[in-house]
Amino acid sequence: EIVMTQSPATLSLSPGERATLSCRSSESFSHRVAWYQQKPGQAPRVLIYDASARAAGIPSRFSGSGSGTEFTLTITSVQSEDFTIYYCQQYENWPPSFGQGTKLEI
Amino acid sequence: QVTLKESGPTLVKPTQSLTLTCTFSGFSLTTSGMGVSWLRQPPGKALEWLAFVSWNDDKRYSPSLSSRLRITKDTSGNQVVLTLTDMDPGDTATYFCVGPLFGIRRPGYYAHWGQGILVTVSS
């Protein structure tokens, strides 16, 4: 089973700053990583799939990169609505697994 | 347009079984290649994948919960049922269904989610 580890647990930034969220996997694989944003009381929303492809309707300030064991979600200029929790997920192998989340706070 | 909705009890007693139904539209599990998964999220905690069923009735389960889980699909192709036996307060969570998923070889990522249903386990 692949373990996904996110860091940091909490990221404190100001609006307009650049956010870099990391996700490390316990096994190496090429690109089957997704990133989700979850706001309180809502289901998660996919932002990025296949490590770097932006999902439909996702603003261009969100980007993903990485391969092997290191994956990154970048928000180039954090907006007020971006302060929430983010999860990474691998779908390289069964069972799919998630990181424990990074909370982006002001 | 894809929609999914979870239904079932919101309160169960310890040792009871939980049965949840996912009713969806915009795709069908009678279509080759399609699948649906269930996930859950305890309050304030991370997401956890539970189970998957495909159009051809291929099933996958979380290794840590496989002895307690069962997933089935109905013949109409627009409902999936999840059963979790021997419920414990630690199973208190919001349960989500997701789909459509494509193929069996890999789990896929989740573009469409139900709204979730909060299930509390308490006597």
Side-chain angles (χ1 to χ4, degrees), chain B residues 100-115:
Chain B
L101 305 173
F102 304 97
I104 300 171
R105 185 161 176 249
R106 302 188 196 279
Y109 65 92
Y110 309 127
H112 301 280
W113 296 66
Q115 64 189 23

Side-chain angles (χ1 to χ4, degrees), chain B residues 5-61:
Chain B
K5 187 172 184 179
E6 306 85 354
S7 60
T10 57
L11 178 65
V12 297
K13 290 179 167 42
T15 75
Q16 287 185 336
S17 291
L18 171 68
T19 297
L20 296 174
T21 300
C22 175
T23 303
F24 51 86
S25 63
F27 68 100
S28 174
L29 276 184
T30 60
T31 302
S32 178
M34 293 291 175
V36 167
S37 271
W38 282 93
L39 297 87
R40 71 179 180 180
Q41 185 175 36
K45 296 189 177 180
L47 296 156
E48 178 184 21
W49 174 80
L50 299 175
F52 165 86
V53 64
S54 70
W55 85 100
N56 63 352
D57 216 32
D58 191 319
K59 299 172 184 178
R60 309 291 170 100
Y61 294 104

Side-chain angles (χ1 to χ4, degrees), chain B residues 40-86:
Chain B
R40 71 179 180 180
Q41 185 175 36
K45 296 189 177 180
L47 296 156
E48 178 184 21
W49 174 80
L50 299 175
F52 165 86
V53 64
S54 70
W55 85 100
N56 63 352
D57 216 32
D58 191 319
K59 299 172 184 178
R60 309 291 170 100
Y61 294 104
S62 166
S64 63
L65 294 167
S66 59
S67 63
R68 300 171 51 209
L69 280 170
R70 189 166 79 113
I71 190 169
T72 59
K73 62 179 179 64
D74 80 328
T75 56
S76 71
N78 75 337
Q79 283 192 330
V80 169
V81 175
L82 182 78
T83 301
L84 181 59
T85 62
D86 194 22

Side-chain angles (χ1 to χ4, degrees), chain B residues 88-105:
Chain B
D88 175 88
D91 295 312
T92 294
T94 297
Y95 288 75
F96 296 99
C97 62
V98 295
L101 305 173
F102 304 97
I104 300 171
R105 185 161 176 249

